[in-house]
Amino acid sequence: MSDVRSAIDAVWRIESPRLIAGLARMVRDVGVAEDLAQDALVAALESWPESGVPRNPGAWLMTAAKRRAIDRFRRQELGERKHEELGRELRGDVMPEFDANVDDDIGDDLLRLVFIACHPVLSQPARVALTLRLLGGLTTTEIGRAFFVPEATVAQRIVRAKRTLSAARVPFEVPQGADRAARLASVLEVLYLIFNEGYCATSGDDWLRPALCEDALRMGRVVAELMPEDAEVHGLVALMEIQASRTAARIGPGGEPVLLLDQDRSRWNHVLVRRGLAALERAERLGGTLGPYALQASIAACHARAIVPEETDWLRIVALYDALLQAVPSPVVALNRAVAVGIAYGPAAGLEAVEELSGHPALEGYYLLPSVRGDLLVKLGRDIEGRAEFARAASLTGNARERKLLLSRANVADDVEIETRRTSS
């Protein structure tokens, strides 16, 4: 029984995005589509333990969902025409023809669902929750656990998101023209946020949440397959592949963080490195100026190509950060650049770059500002000042593992590189 339940869970995680996407095309309502998909899952939980997992579980679920759609339309009297359309698809129940029909439309359906889940009419937390729910196949419990948010809050966000989409009459279609670029930016932002929360958790006891990284990367690969001519999609996938390649090396035996320059690079996943470099090459081949994600991937690639830390091309990394600052004038990017400057040109130059950011309102309360300053001060022999900065950084972080690391540096200011969050680790 447990084996069948595990198989059903695995099938659901893989098939639910396709199932919901196909149903949403038919019923033109994401909320109704998800309800129908859930009904099909319940049917599978009732049937498969006795009959076994079918040869084509995705088609089985779609057929079950369509039957429930017909029942729903009958009960609600939503129109004879829709009833007849769905009835014609089921009449005869010929599985090969059904499979071909699903395969013909699935790419477009998934892409439509991506743009719906990440629609800018929704708040950022709602977009993240809805994307993980519809495209990641995660339960509200899993989403809440991942982001340390009560399950009820997650469920409420998802319900409100569906209502908002319905009230706004958001069309179930792939946007075109100028709207497409704006909407795609929202899609990539959501995937980036999900990945980063997994890569460097903002709160909780664990520094990493690998499952979130895997979900974001899986969804990013799907988007890249659906939009192969978009350079920034490949840039984001490249960034996530390369960053994810370091997962095993970023955690010590006791769960403690292991910073970039201290990592055992033989533990990096070199399959993911190669995939990331290939995705970056695809982005570059498409031509034009590299966007923010491709630039960050290029920075990550500088580390990935260095067999040992001493081979890292820090001058190129500084130049890439300069380009990234032009594309995204962000104080966080500027702080990451200051770290690279401190290694490429010496800690005094790095500290000067950091001091230029002091007092910036966006960095107020941002723990990495004092942690970077502390690292540079220690390198300049100003240990007492450096320890004070590490203590301040420890008081600002919400992550228990990082707090422990920073407190250890406050007590013993050794010469360990502070790894900056997100783009340079």
Side-chain angles (χ1 to χ4, degrees), residues 145-148 195 197-214 399:
R145 190 185 303 127
F147 287 91
F148 290 91
F195 183 87
E197 185 58 33
Y199 188 72
C200 198
T202 53
S203 59
D205 295 331
D206 297 320
W207 197 38
L208 297 179
R209 296 181 197 145
L212 278 181
C213 293
E214 291 166 7
N399 185 276

Side-chain angles (χ1 to χ4, degrees), residues 54-199:
R55 180 181 58 82
N56 192 333
W60 192 101
L61 289 167
M62 181 63 84
T63 300
K66 284 185 176 181
R67 286 177 173 149
R68 279 153 182 78
I70 290 176
D71 292 340
R72 178 185 288 258
F73 287 130
R74 281 174 176 159
R75 288 194 306 269
Q76 297 179 355
E77 298 180 349
L78 291 182
E80 186 65 25
R81 185 179 62 82
K82 181 60 70 174
H83 172 214
E84 289 178 357
E85 287 177 1
L86 290 171
R88 279 197 301 271
E89 290 191 31
L90 281 174
R91 200 167 292 132
D93 201 19
V94 181
M95 193 63 70
E97 293 179 5
F98 172 80
D99 291 345
N101 182 49
V102 171
D103 290 342
D104 285 345
D105 293 324
I106 193 62
D108 288 342
D109 286 346
L110 270 177
L111 193 55
R112 292 185 189 104
L113 188 61
V114 168
F115 279 106
I116 287 287
C118 299
H119 197 285
V121 74
L122 303 175
S123 68
Q124 189 181 87
R127 278 182 273 154
V128 169
L130 193 61
T131 298
L132 286 172
R133 175 73 167 173
L134 299 181
L135 295 169
L138 274 66
T139 65
T140 53
T141 302
E142 290 170 325
I143 297 169
R145 190 185 303 127
F147 287 91
F148 290 91
V149 175
E151 181 180 353
T153 301
V154 173
Q156 192 174 50
R157 285 176 183 172
I158 292 171
V159 168
R160 286 177 176 172
K162 292 174 187 175
R163 287 176 181 166
T164 300
L165 292 171
S166 180
R169 298 183 181 276
V170 173
F172 191 69
E173 63 186 18
V174 176
Q176 302 297 325
D179 189 39
R180 182 187 180 99
R183 295 272 298 278
L184 179 59
S186 178
V187 171
L188 299 184
E189 177 192 29
V190 168
L191 298 180
Y192 185 64
L193 285 170
I194 293 170
F195 183 87
N196 278 338
E197 185 58 33
Y199 188 72

Side-chain angles (χ1 to χ4, degrees), residues 192 195-196 199-201 207-208 239-247 250 258-261 263 265 268 296-297 299-301 303-304 314 317 321 336 339 366-368 402 417-425:
Y192 185 64
F195 183 87
N196 278 338
Y199 188 72
C200 198
W207 197 38
L208 297 179
L239 175 62
M240 294 192 293
E241 299 273 16
I242 295 172
Q243 302 292 71
S245 73
R246 304 176 192 150
T247 298
R250 295 183 71 227
V258 180
L259 304 178
L260 178 60
L261 299 185
Q263 289 170 15
R265 300 189 176 206
W268 288 1
Q296 291 177 75
I299 293 168
H303 296 295
W314 288 101
I317 289 176
Y321 272 123
N336 288 332
V339 175
Y366 186 52
Y367 78 98
L368 282 172
E402 285 193 307
E417 296 294 340
I418 285 291
E419 176 181 57
T420 57
R421 189 182 179 88
R422 317 297 192 202
T423 56
S424 64
S425 60

